[in-house]
Amino acid sequence: MMADILPPVSDPAILGQLDSLAKRHRAAGGVVMQVIGYIGGSAEGLLGKLPTPVRNGLDGATERALSGAMTAAERSRGIVSDRPDWMNRTLTTAMGAAGGVGGLGSSLAELPFTVTMLLRAIQGIAAEHGFDPASEEVRLECLRVFASAGPLEDDDGMDLSFLAARATITGPSLKSLIAKVAPRLSIVLGQKLAAQAAPVLGAVAGAAVNYAFTSYYQEIARVHFGLKRLARDTGTDEGVLREELVARIAK
């Protein structure tokens, strides 16, 4: 028996919201690329500037940072209320400046704190869209935002991991997803480390990179949870909305 083919979206109001989400996604990486241009070099060449032991250890360090960030971000929700986007950018910018002062060594020490702040910002955006960050499903969705195409990748809207069909995750789901996200995120974080460890610029580069990365992931989180809210509020199949959104991002 053939699977039912769902009709395309035709409601002008829904299509208008998808256009807004697509525009937000296309603009998300612009600030990051401006920062990289300011520092000099290219996104592709940044990882090559890191020492070999650091590059080789990025996957493991990223997985540990994500695991710790999930616990720390969740605990902090009971102590500190969600902050507006500008405040999250301010805090991570300050962290980047502190990390950039001492070059690569201090940047590595700053990395877990920045990952926690980014995850906490994503959780706050999930809550803003009416989703419970304490639930297992939403915790997974927050991690999927990290699995999206990184801010230094020219994906042209097509390599959108967070928009891909939902994968079945068995066993300890959170741990499984962290293991899947870490290798991809490690590339992004490696580029961040190399950029903010640029000689001479130091703290300025660290602050600028963290500001840009925070802006990027906040925007991607708004696209991600905006799509899910649109599906929930309109009763439209999320997969159909996802396909429409990918088509609009790619234009």
Side-chain angles (χ1 to χ4, degrees), residues 221-234:
R222 291 189 182 283
V223 174
H224 184 69
F225 290 106
L227 181 71
K228 294 185 70 63
R229 182 173 63 183
L230 184 61
R232 180 195 64 197
D233 292 351
T234 64

Side-chain angles (χ1 to χ4, degrees), residues 24 35 43-44 86-87 105 111 137 145 158 184 192 194 234 245 248:
R24 185 183 287 273
V35 169
E44 293 76 14
W86 69 266
M87 187 174 293
L111 191 60
E137 180 181 358
V145 172
M158 300 306 293
R184 184 179 183 105
K192 166 184 142 52
T234 64
L245 178 57
R248 279 163 169 70

Side-chain angles (χ1 to χ4, degrees), residues 159-233:
D159 188 15
L160 306 175
S161 297
F162 79 101
L163 289 176
R166 185 188 302 273
T168 300
I169 301 173
T170 58
S173 56
L174 192 61
K175 184 176 181 180
S176 297
L177 187 56
I178 286 175
K180 291 180 180 180
V181 170
R184 184 179 183 105
L185 183 59
S186 70
I187 296 174
V188 176
L189 294 181
Q191 292 166 330
K192 166 184 142 52
L193 285 174
Q196 74 182 73
V200 181
L201 295 176
V204 175
V209 168
N210 267 24
Y211 177 90
F213 269 63
T214 305
S215 298
Y216 173 82
Y217 281 112
Q218 285 175 331
E219 290 298 287
I220 293 298
R222 291 189 182 283
V223 174
H224 184 69
F225 290 106
L227 181 71
K228 294 185 70 63
R229 182 173 63 183
L230 184 61
R232 180 195 64 197
D233 292 351

Side-chain angles (χ1 to χ4, degrees), residues 96-178:
V101 168
L104 185 58
S106 57
S107 294
L108 283 167
E110 165 256 326
L111 191 60
F113 297 98
T114 293
V115 171
T116 300
M117 285 293 301
L118 291 174
L119 187 56
R120 176 60 198 274
I122 292 169
Q123 290 178 343
I125 290 170
E128 180 184 323
H129 284 73
F131 300 97
D132 180 10
S135 72
E136 183 76 359
E137 180 181 358
V138 177
R139 293 175 77 194
L140 293 174
E141 294 299 338
C142 289
L143 277 176
R144 286 190 176 98
V145 172
F146 268 142
S148 69
L152 301 183
E153 296 185 37
D154 184 14
D155 60 31
D156 292 325
M158 300 306 293
D159 188 15
L160 306 175
S161 297
F162 79 101
L163 289 176
R166 185 188 302 273
T168 300
I169 301 173
T170 58
S173 56
L174 192 61
K175 184 176 181 180
S176 297
L177 187 56
I178 286 175

